[in-house]
Amino acid sequence: MPITLVTTVAELQAESARLLAAKRGTSQGLVPTMGALHEGHAALARTAVEQNDVVVASIFVNPLQFGDAVDLDRYPRTLDADLALLDGQGVDIAFAPSVEEVYPGGEPLVRVTSGRLGEKWEGASRPGHFDGALTVVAKLLHYGIPAAGSAGPVVPAAPAGGSGHSGDAGHSGGSGHSGDAGHSGDAGTAGVAPGRAGLAAYRAYFGQKDAQQLALVRRMVADLNFPVDIVGVPTVRSADGLALSSRNRFLSGEERDAALVLSRALRLLEQRANAHEPLDLDSAVALVESQPLVELDYFDVVDPASLEPLAENCRETPFRGEGLALIAAKVGPVRLIDNMPLSS
């Protein structure tokens, strides 16, 4: 059945309830996006379709998370192409609301705050970004809660067989090592949100590519008791290692070649972690800074849940346990972020 496009919350809730009833479904998945979709988003959609009876993907460019009006205006809007990509993955419903539908009466007077977790790394470079992102994610999660009366018992999702296709050597455990939101998982081990007796299981899918956002969403869901299971899906990379991003289209050929130093530096740390060697972060930083077209913002190894630096693992001691390497840089006019889960 072809994908159904809806633009209001009422239409979304009516159509998802109708489909759950028609399919006698026991699970519903939500894939929040800002559009300008690529293969990374396709991986999110495929994983959701594998694990749920009904899948909704939202397409909404959220003005609250843009500090620069020019950046907001420049963000690509490609609705027809986005619908085709989602339809090809088997998504049931595309929810593409207007700004007025999501924020009736203008910007909300009350917002979700990202707290200490949102003040570092990307939050330090983009003040207010995560408050805006969490506010819209909270609204989308509420919109997507399955209606009561779905048929059959709530059952765990089967392991997703396709989540490893991203070509990312840093898949070890996906993003499921965070563990801070009592019902979070990775793409292969999605669980069921607790306290959902009589209702369909509900899962939402986010990419490991935006690792800090994923950690914050998990923390919000745990702290505010959202009835949803957050599933992290591994980063999808191009054949040369560049993490897929909607912003990559703004890179020139020369800038794109220069941007590959980000993934090379991350893989260097991954290799050292796998070999139980000291990470020697300083040498990886030097590698990035040797590329003249790249202006490094931050590069560090942190705890996957708290996002606090793991300084003891970055110098002369062999790496042990789990960590997350985070990097952000401007390549020409384009700001790029990337990360690599580390385990030893």
Side-chain angles (χ1 to χ4, degrees), residues 126-140:
R126 303 171 67 187
H129 167 73
F130 286 122
D131 290 357
L134 290 182
T135 297
V136 78
V137 168
K139 291 175 76 74
L140 293 170

Side-chain angles (χ1 to χ4, degrees), residues 14 59 78 123 139 144 150 166-167 188 238 268 295 307 309-310 324 330 341:
I59 302 171
T78 57
K139 291 175 76 74
S150 61
S166 64
S238 60
L268 181 62
E295 181 183 345
L307 304 181
L310 297 178
L324 181 67
K330 285 191 70 175

Side-chain angles (χ1 to χ4, degrees), residues 240 242 248 251-264 291 293-294 331 336:
D240 56 14
L242 186 66
N248 290 352
L251 295 168
S252 69
E254 184 181 16
E255 289 163 351
R256 192 188 186 288
D257 289 342
L260 296 177
V261 74
L262 276 64
S263 59
R264 286 202 300 269
Q291 172 51 254
L293 294 181
V294 176
V331 184
L336 298 177

Side-chain angles (χ1 to χ4, degrees), residues 181-233:
H183 44 274
S184 296
D186 61 25
T189 58
V192 176
R196 300 287 296 158
L199 299 178
Y202 182 33
R203 307 176 182 97
Y205 295 80
F206 294 84
Q208 175 68 32
K209 162 69 166 54
D210 296 300
Q212 187 173 5
Q213 174 180 270
L214 176 59
L216 282 162
V217 169
R218 283 181 160 148
R219 191 70 257 170
M220 177 182 72
V221 163
D223 288 349
L224 302 183
N225 301 104
F226 280 60
V228 61
D229 176 24
I230 302 301
V231 182
V233 178

